[in-house]
């Protein structure tokens, strides 16, 4: 027999009036840490210190042994930036570009990610407000915990709605109709999520949405008072864009029940006809799939391996990006995400073929560390770093970075220091 949760007992209704008094007290240290963060790695540590262990590990983890997760970050370090000098640039640089045909102020944006309210009660609202603040694209997941209508009120700029490969076509039609009505200009179909990845940190932690109230989870909750107060003093969250009456049970169980592994190219073509607007296929890592997607009607290739959370040892997206650009040519839009932790990473992706770059973990670290203010800070860190990288590279606009990219970014070649000569007898 399942024990009733604090939300089942209505505790949040009693605690909510106390939030103006209690929240500033329990959030003080967390907000101080977040405001002192210098880079995304610092924000990650802030998130780890504020969020419940189960929640942080869900955000931070990858599939299986997390080899792909590590490679996704390390791949950028193998790319050197061969900069021009005396470029005669005059600040401010122009970081604006177009995404899905819409003008934006930054060439990167917060990726659509599921269940944002588990990290902070502001959830997707925080990311939408941060995107509005920075004048960039906002992406909402169909497994979001904030509704399409609510997001439309907070973000008046370009928006993309992310859709999974659902079994029920009626559900698909209903959801995309809501997205159109809510002012979402583009659709992104996630195609690398037909099975649920093996995320072993979640298994060890007993991860569920909402959390089970085991002794272990309660102990971890006591260790993180800011997150725990935030969770128990606010309304329980649901998958707001599917059915608000359905509670947010185990994410894995929900996905296994709703996702359609049999979804194929013919289904994708049907979806393109139903949507009738700009659309990305999200999860492409092969040139042949990219070329087929263009034929199926997708306007945008979204190079992604689902944050290294699905198939272990799938390639780092920055490594396959140039081959996909070569396959689809210069006129097909490409978005890339995966492994981005620095503005220099964004610069490298733009130089090697991406038209814009999605970031996931960086802004979620900001969200878990400090809500809207944390997301604004995460995006600002990357903005400042990208601006600096472009200035030091000697390019004044995103278009110039893309045009000169292949001459600016080169794969590092191993030197004699990496492979020292062992000597005639096999010794140093």
């Amino acid at each position: 027999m399942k024990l009733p949760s604090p939300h089942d007992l209505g505790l949040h209704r009693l605690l909510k009036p106390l939030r103006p008094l209690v929240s500033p007290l329990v959030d003080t240290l967390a907000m101080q840490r977040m405001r002192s963060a210098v880079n995304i790695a610092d924000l990650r540590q802030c998130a780890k210190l504020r969020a419940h262990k189960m929640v942080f590990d869900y955000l931070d983890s990858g599939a299986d042994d997390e080899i792909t997760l590590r490679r996704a970050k390390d791949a950028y370090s193998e790319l050197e930036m061969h900069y021009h000098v005396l470029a005669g640039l005059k600040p401010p640089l122009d970081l604006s570009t177009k995404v899905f045909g819409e003008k934006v102020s930054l060439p990167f944006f917060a990726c659509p990610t599921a269940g944002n309210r588990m990290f902070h009660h502001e959830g997707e609202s925080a990311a939408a407000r941060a995107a509005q603040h920075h004048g960039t694209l906002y992406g909402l997941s169909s497994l979001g915990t904030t509704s399409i209508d609510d997001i439309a009120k907070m973000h008046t700029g370009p928006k993309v709605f992310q859709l999974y490969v659902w079994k029920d076509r009626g559900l698909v039609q209903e959801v995309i109709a809501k997205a159109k009505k809510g002012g979402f200009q583009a659709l992104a179909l996630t195609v690398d999520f037909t099975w649920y990845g093996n995320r072993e940190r979640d298994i060890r932690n007993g991860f569920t949405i909402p959390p089970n109230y085991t002794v272990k989870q309660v102990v971890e909750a006591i260790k993180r008072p800011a997150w725990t107060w935030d969770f128990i003093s606010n309304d329980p969250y649901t998958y707001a864009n599917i059915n608000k009456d359905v509670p947010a049970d185990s994410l894995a169980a929900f996905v296994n029940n709703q996702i359609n592994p049999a979804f194929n190219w013919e289904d994708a073509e049907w979806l393109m006809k139903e949507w009738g607007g700009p659309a990305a296929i999200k999860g492409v890592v092969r040139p042949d799939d990219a070329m087929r997607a263009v034929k199926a009607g997708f306007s945008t290739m979204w190079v992604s391996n689902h944050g290294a959370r699905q198939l272990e040892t799938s390639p780092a997206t920055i490594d396959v990006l140039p081959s996909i650009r070569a396959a689809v040519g210069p006129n097909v839009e490409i978005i890339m995400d995966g492994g981005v932790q620095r503005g220099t990473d964004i610069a490298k992706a733009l130089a090697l073929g991406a038209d814009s770059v999605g970031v996931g973990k960086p802004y979620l670290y900001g969200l878990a560390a400090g809500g809207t203010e944390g997301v604004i800070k995460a995006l600002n860190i990357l903005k400042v770093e990208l601006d600096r990288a472009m200035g030091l590279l000697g390019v004044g606009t995103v278009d110039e970075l893309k045009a000169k990219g292949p001459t600016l970014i080169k794969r590092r070649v191993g030197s004699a220091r990496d492979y020292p000569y062992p000597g005639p007898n096999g010794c140093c």
Side-chain angles (χ1 to χ4, degrees):
M1 180 179 174
K2 181 183 175 182
L3 294 175
S5 72
H7 286 109
D8 293 334
L9 297 173
L11 182 61
H12 59 291
R13 297 188 186 93
L14 298 175
L15 297 179
K16 207 166 190 177
L18 300 177
R19 284 189 56 80
L21 175 65
V22 178
S23 295
L25 298 176
V26 297
D27 280 339
T28 297
L29 288 177
M31 295 303 287
Q32 286 177 349
R33 286 193 298 261
M34 183 273 294
R35 289 166 184 158
S36 299
V38 173
N39 56 30
I40 298 302
D42 288 350
L43 280 181
R44 176 184 179 275
Q45 189 64 19
C46 293
K48 186 175 183 179
L49 291 172
R50 180 187 175 277
H52 192 291
K53 182 180 185 334
M54 173 185 71
V55 169
F56 175 78
D57 280 351
Y58 169 80
L59 157 58
D60 194 57
S61 65
D64 294 0
D65 297 310
E66 300 187 351
I67 294 168
T68 299
L69 185 65
R70 293 190 293 274
R71 285 180 180 171
K73 299 174 184 177
D74 292 345
Y76 293 97
S77 67
E78 295 301 309
L79 298 171
E80 294 180 332
M81 308 183 86
H82 292 243
Y83 54 91
H84 285 291
V85 297
L86 302 179
L89 299 178
K90 294 182 180 179
L93 304 185
D94 183 5
L95 303 188
S96 67
T97 189
K98 285 187 175 182
V99 186
F100 295 113
E102 302 286 336
K103 187 75 177 285
V104 290
S105 299
L106 296 176
F108 65 91
F109 62 93
C111 284
T113 54
N116 285 189
R117 284 188 60 209
M118 80 174 83
F119 308 115
H120 191 283
H121 81 275
E122 292 176 352
E124 291 83 2
S125 301
R129 292 189 186 103
Q132 181 82 9
H133 174 86
H134 284 290
T136 192
L137 180 78
Y138 174 71
L140 178 64
S141 170
S142 54
L143 287 179
T145 47
T146 305
S147 72
I148 290 169
D149 292 341
D150 287 341
I151 293 298
K153 297 172 186 175
M154 301 168 197
H155 189 279
T156 57
K159 296 181 284 293
V160 58
F161 184 76
Q162 177 273 334
L163 185 69
Y164 293 100
V165 287
W166 302 120
K167 292 177 181 177
D168 185 349
R169 283 193 172 187
L171 175 62
V172 170
Q173 290 171 318
E174 178 184 340
V175 170
I176 64 176
K178 288 181 183 178
K180 287 180 180 178
K181 185 178 179 182
F184 283 74
Q185 293 88 354
L187 183 74
L189 176 67
T190 294
V191 293
D192 57 359
F193 200 56
T194 51
W195 265 262
Y196 195 82
N198 179 37
R199 303 162 193 179
E200 294 180 354
R201 285 202 233 177
D202 290 352
I203 297 170
R204 293 189 188 98
N205 289 331
F207 174 79
T208 59
I209 305 173
N212 289 324
Y213 293 91
T214 63
V215 172
K216 179 180 178 181
Q217 303 296 20
V218 170
V219 169
E220 292 296 336
I222 292 171
K223 293 179 183 178
R224 297 293 184 263
W227 179 90
T228 301
W229 168 256
D230 188 52
F231 176 72
I232 65 173
S233 64
N234 280 288
D235 294 337
Y237 45 86
T238 63
Y239 296 128
N241 298 308
I242 304 301
N243 187 335
K244 290 186 178 181
D245 298 323
V246 176
D249 294 323
S250 166
L251 181 60
F254 181 87
V255 168
N256 288 334
N257 182 53
Q258 295 292 340
I259 290 293
N260 180 19
F263 198 98
N264 58 29
W265 287 105
E266 287 72 27
D267 294 312
E269 290 171 0
W270 169 83
L271 178 61
M272 291 300 93
K273 293 175 182 175
E274 288 291 316
W275 174 251
I281 182 168
K282 184 176 182 292
V284 174
V285 296
R286 295 175 57 97
D288 53 355
D289 279 345
M291 290 187 290
R292 185 161 186 181
V294 172
K295 293 179 181 177
F298 290 94
S299 61
T300 303
M301 304 300 107
W302 194 322
V303 182
S304 174
N305 61 19
H306 212 92
R309 297 162 69 79
Q310 287 295 98
L311 179 62
E312 179 67 301
T313 67
S314 57
T317 51
I318 191 68
D319 286 342
V320 299
L321 173 62
S323 66
I324 293 177
R325 171 54 75 195
V328 301
N331 298 322
V332 174
E333 182 177 43
I334 294 179
I335 296 171
M336 192 217 76
D337 68 45
V340 172
Q341 298 288 300
R342 287 279 189 180
T344 50
D345 299 339
I346 296 170
K348 290 172 183 179
L350 294 170
L352 293 177
D355 293 297
S356 60
V357 177
V359 297
K361 285 182 171 63
Y363 90 86
L364 291 176
Y365 292 142
L367 175 61
T372 300
E373 187 178 339
V375 181
I376 289 174
K377 173 145 193 172
L379 297 183
N380 193 63
I381 286 171
L382 294 173
K383 175 185 176 180
V384 170
E385 291 180 349
L386 174 61
D387 183 84
R388 182 187 302 118
M390 288 173 56
L392 290 172
L393 275 170
V395 294
T397 69
V398 172
D399 285 343
E400 186 182 3
L401 174 58
K402 292 194 291 185
K404 294 181 177 179
T407 68
L408 297 173
I409 309 300
K410 299 180 184 294
R411 187 165 296 280
R412 182 177 179 274
V413 178
S415 70
R417 288 183 299 174
D418 297 312
Y419 307 99
Y421 177 58
N425 298 317
C427 63
C428 297

